[in-house]
Amino acid sequence: MSPIHLAIVGVGKIVRDQHLPSIAKNPDFKLIAAASRHGTVDGIDNFKSIDDMLAAVPAIDAVSLCMPPQYRYEAAHKALAAGKHVFLEKPPGATLSEVADLEALAASKGLSLFASWHSRYAPGVEAAKAFLASTTIRSLKVIWKEDVRHWHPNQEWIWQAGGLGVFDPGINALSIVTHILPRPVFITSATLEFPENRDAPIAANIQFTDAVGLDVSAEFDWRQTGKQSWDIVAETDAGQMLLSEGGAKLSIDGVIRHEEPEQEYPLLYKRFAEIIKAGRSDVDLAPLRHVADAFMLGRRKFVDSFYD
Ligand code: NAP
């Protein structure tokens, strides 16, 4: 079968760090064009806008949309309307309703829409899910604390409405939690801390439960200097499970059970090719729904202004 002719839109940090090397190694895809206002990709046709690209390169079969979430719907709608399969970077959009609209459009046109959640493909995640399914969980706690100045320097969009603030990394944890827990959880209370000069939170404390009263909590904080934490800790009848390093490493009672080099983006492109071949979409909105619920239910607290 000939490769899927792919185009990429929004050439920035994640495209250079992850998409380009992963696409280059996947024989199911051939990157043939890019659209970005400033960024370019060597060796292919580059355009300033998705409209120009779609008009000039009819051979495009699929498009990966890697711009910030606030600007993704319009591009996704144009790509689907033009008959292209669509890969959405995480979070899949700025609202739940716009992604539902895209899902319906993809279905009506027989196209594949992929709401990607890269952290779900971290090496320890499937083993954690299997471990939790094999025992009784007493509680689960997420600690996701990083230094925003190091990881998101000068990314203005991330602090604007729809940019999600600390939920931009926090949603990665939520994508893992919603995948590994045996039953759906829902938020019962939350506190969101907003810098006085920003429209998105710098920290969040969230309590969840499920149908049988499980104690689940999450602490997200962008003010962490020194050691960074991307940990999920579960107390269970079979011991303490620690899924650390963003899902890369699984330990039970301090003994490492699973640790492999990470392959998140190669696995995302493998999945995208699979769903295109199968003629289906993969759109799980649970992580984004929890973020929306936190904004809906959470108390707001104003904290010191933040400057990069
Ligand atoms: P970024 O570098 O700040 O933005 C990506 C590109 O989007 C920019 O280079 C820019 O390209 C385009 N863009 C920026 N503002 C735009 C606007 N107003 N309208 C249209 N295009 C705009 O961000 P990133 O770190 O790559 O993140 C992009 C997405 O990937 C986010 O949803 C993020 O959550 C996700 N992601 C990021 C990481 C990471 O480590 N950085 C990891 C996983 C997922 P042009 O100026 O050339 O148009």
Side-chain angles (χ1 to χ4, degrees), residues 9-19 35-40 48 65-72 89-91 118 151-152 154-158 160 163 168-169 171-172 265:
V9 186
V11 178
K13 183 172 187 320
I14 196 62
V15 166
R16 295 198 180 90
D17 289 357
Q18 296 289 349
H19 288 258
S36 213
R37 297 163 313 168
H38 307 95
T40 55
K48 292 286 177 209
L65 300 179
C66 304
M67 70 285 277
Q70 298 100 315
Y71 313 104
R72 212 171 285 135
E89 248 301 348
K90 54 72 36 173
H118 66 88
W151 299 103
H152 300 281
N154 305 310
Q155 281 188 327
E156 276 304 309
W157 62 265
I158 220 163
Q160 291 161 0
D168 177 80
I171 203 168
N172 297 334
Y265 277 78

Side-chain angles (χ1 to χ4, degrees), residues 247-263:
K249 186 167 155 189
L250 179 73
S251 310
I252 311 295
D253 285 335
V255 179
I256 296 174
R257 290 281 189 91
H258 204 90
E259 191 179 20
E260 282 173 20
E262 76 91 3
Q263 285 288 313

